Amino acid sequence: MDELLNPLIQGDRRALSRAITLIESTRPDHRARAVALLSSLPDRQALRIGMSGTPGVGKSTFIEAFGTMLTEAGLKVAVLAVDPSSTRSGGSILGDKTRMELLSRNPNAFIRPTPSSAQLGGVARRTREAIRLCEAAGYDVVLIETVGVGQSETLVAEMCDLFVLLLAPAGGDELQGVKRGIMEMADLILVNKADGDLLSTARRTVADYAGALRLLRKRPQDPERFPKALAVSALTGDGMRKAWDEMQELADWRREHGHFDGNRAEQSRHWFMAELRAGLLARLETHAAKAHLEDLGERVASGDTSPADAAHQMLDWLQDQGRK
Amino acid sequence: MDELLNPLIQGDRRALSRAITLIESTRPDHRARAVALLSSLPDRQALRIGMSGTPGVGKSTFIEAFGTMLTEAGLKVAVLAVDPSSTRSGGSILGDKTRMELLSRNPNAFIRPTPSSAQLGGVARRTREAIRLCEAAGYDVVLIETVGVGQSETLVAEMCDLFVLLLAPAGGDELQGVKRGIMEMADLILVNKADGDLLSTARRTVADYAGALRLLRKRPQDPERFPKALAVSALTGDGMRKAWDEMQELADWRREHGHFDGNRAEQSRHWFMAELRAGLLARLETHAAKAHLEDLGERVASGDTSPADAAHQMLDWLQDQGRK
């Protein structure tokens, strides 16, 4: 049994942190240990909430306030981040230590930045596994934060129970360029900064989005009134409790109607196939395979071997390697 | 040696037709025979011309006139089609027997419709192999026709030496909704129907596109003046000879500067990797693999096995199958 397992289950944050570092490693021995650890985890369930919002909507402030509110209600909260852009910028959306200062010092909260230099596929697997580690460590709510770039939203939606879109108050009826696909993933749209001078703008924005949401096709996993739009203020706290109530109501309804477990089962199947395809293609990534590929590639380029023939030779070679 | 090989090399159209039917078959024994036949083909080279144009631009009429002109110049012409929409419609762009009636009766021309009920990936492989069969049968020019839907253009461009975009005269300066990506693939834009009442509109359209093409980044595989736009009339024959001269000039320039062979080498590498990936994933498609996948999928969905664990089990199972 892994030495991390017991402290992890007891909710030790250092053990959780080390376990996440373990699953983030690409070293084969680390990977083997990670797989073994993951399959020995107890079956605990948190509410997995995906949260997206473009820069400027006050996402950090919202998560800080929302997370603090949940801990005050006696819940343990973990915050993970999926930021595909961090591979390019070298930075990461939760990397700035000064962000969420209050929440990061809270003993009932756990904040983990996106690992830098990771590919989107790798980020997905690691985040999914990090969610399971947080659940095993007894966290009640896992927030998965992402930026508004489409592809990462889809990824996050595929690992969450609820998906929340955070928006800023917008003047007039402009819909802030939110892609229809992202709108369709949202269970709840929260218009932040509904305070001070922006209050009336925020209310108008809520009405605009409520109207847009009504035009979307009703989904079987939604009760009446969902998806819906609400105004919140991370600054004053207005609407925060209401937002959490709505999330719980939706989650409860889905649990009662079988959509909650059904969704998780579908997500698991999806990840199984994704892992399997990745595993098959990983066979081309070994040192020996790359050398053989290089060689065959040259013969194909020079016309000595046809692409189909070379592919057959490579497949046979892989099969032979498996026999050894 | 395959019985089709000799008549094929001698240019027998029935043998060519039968050979294409062979490569289109998915039966394992047919596939094995196809791979053997393809690797025994002599090394002959045709000029591979990709040709795209949305319905209504007069593509059939153009190909009929263009192909007839080439045969009159002593060249043998093959016409293939890539139509991903045929999987949905059940039809095929060259399926209509009344199309290209003149060319289809021409002993120096060979016309082959898209097979219906094929997936885009499958269409690509079969078309690529059909091109090689046409080359082996002594055809000088292989025209690969496709419809204007983006994905199929990319596919066709990846198997051609030249890519020609056929357009209709458009009123005003509207650019007929041609996607930038398709514009960037085009070596030559031909504005058809430059005759009668449409002549001046066609000339204006040519000027519009010539302007748009100048805004595109110059590619290393292009000499000065390319990519370019020309007016043609499949009806009167005006500009047809000029269009062919331009194609030859571009092909000659690329041959002289090493881009022609370089491009084919790159295409071969690309198809090698595509075949290889398809071959790896095909291991999941056997009857036994599907049954095992189904079983593991159920265990993943019920939570008995983690997605990563199930993927490992499936990979091990595939490895074991290889050992047998």
Side-chain angles (χ1 to χ4, degrees), chain B residues 43-169:
Chain B
D43 204 15
R44 290 180 184 166
Q45 215 175 58
L47 183 61
R48 304 169 181 176
I49 305 175
M51 190 163 285
S52 173
T54 42
V57 303
K59 198 160 35 147
S60 305
T61 318
F62 177 87
I63 292 175
E64 170 115 317
F66 188 71
T68 303
M69 181 187 76
L70 296 183
T71 58
E72 283 166 0
L75 298 170
K76 288 181 69 184
V77 179
V79 182
L80 305 172
V82 171
D83 180 13
S85 67
S86 67
T87 54
R88 289 188 297 272
S89 67
S92 70
I93 43 178
L94 286 172
D96 185 349
K97 292 262 198 274
T98 61
R99 283 185 61 207
M100 306 185 197
E101 212 179 333
L102 207 67
L103 197 60
S104 62
R105 286 197 310 258
N106 188 319
N108 285 317
F110 175 83
I111 299 182
R112 179 80 179 194
T114 318
S116 55
S117 73
Q119 292 188 313
L120 197 56
V123 168
R125 185 169 81 182
R126 288 190 284 220
T127 307
R128 205 162 30 88
E129 291 175 349
I131 292 172
R132 293 199 52 232
L133 292 171
C134 292
E135 290 185 322
Y139 286 84
D140 303 293
V141 175
V142 180
L143 286 174
I144 301 104
E145 178 190 10
T146 189
V147 286
V149 287
Q151 223 189 336
S152 66
E153 265 82 2
T154 308
L155 256 175
V156 168
E158 281 165 356
M159 52 178 86
C160 284
D161 304 315
L162 301 178
F163 193 77
V164 177
L165 186 59
L166 200 68
L167 296 172

Side-chain angles (χ1 to χ4, degrees), chain A residues 13-33:
Chain A
R13 289 199 295 179
R14 263 198 68 191
L16 174 56
S17 205
R18 283 179 58 205
I20 295 181
T21 303
L22 178 69
I23 58 157
E24 284 174 355
S25 170
T26 52
R27 257 177 57 181
D29 56 329
H30 288 175
R31 194 64 217 146
R33 191 182 155 198

Side-chain angles (χ1 to χ4, degrees), chain A residues 59 80-86 93-94 112-114 120 123-124 127-128 144-147 149 151-153 155-156 159:
Chain A
K59 198 161 33 146
L80 306 172
V82 171
D83 179 13
S85 67
S86 69
I93 43 176
L94 286 173
R112 179 79 178 195
T114 318
L120 198 56
V123 168
T127 307
R128 205 162 31 88
I144 301 104
E145 178 191 8
T146 189
V147 286
V149 289
Q151 221 188 339
S152 66
E153 264 82 3
L155 256 175
V156 168
M159 51 180 85

Side-chain angles (χ1 to χ4, degrees), chain A residues 9-71:
Chain A
I9 293 172
Q10 281 150 30
D12 181 312
R13 289 199 295 179
R14 263 198 68 191
L16 174 56
S17 205
R18 283 179 58 205
I20 295 181
T21 303
L22 178 69
I23 58 157
E24 284 174 355
S25 170
T26 52
R27 257 177 57 181
D29 56 329
H30 288 175
R31 194 64 217 146
R33 191 182 155 198
V35 169
L37 176 64
L38 286 163
S39 51
S40 63
L41 294 179
D43 203 15
R44 289 180 184 166
Q45 217 177 55
L47 184 60
R48 305 171 181 174
I49 305 175
M51 189 162 287
S52 173
T54 43
V57 302
K59 198 161 33 146
S60 306
T61 317
F62 177 87
I63 292 176
E64 170 115 317
F66 187 72
T68 303
M69 182 188 75
L70 297 184
T71 58

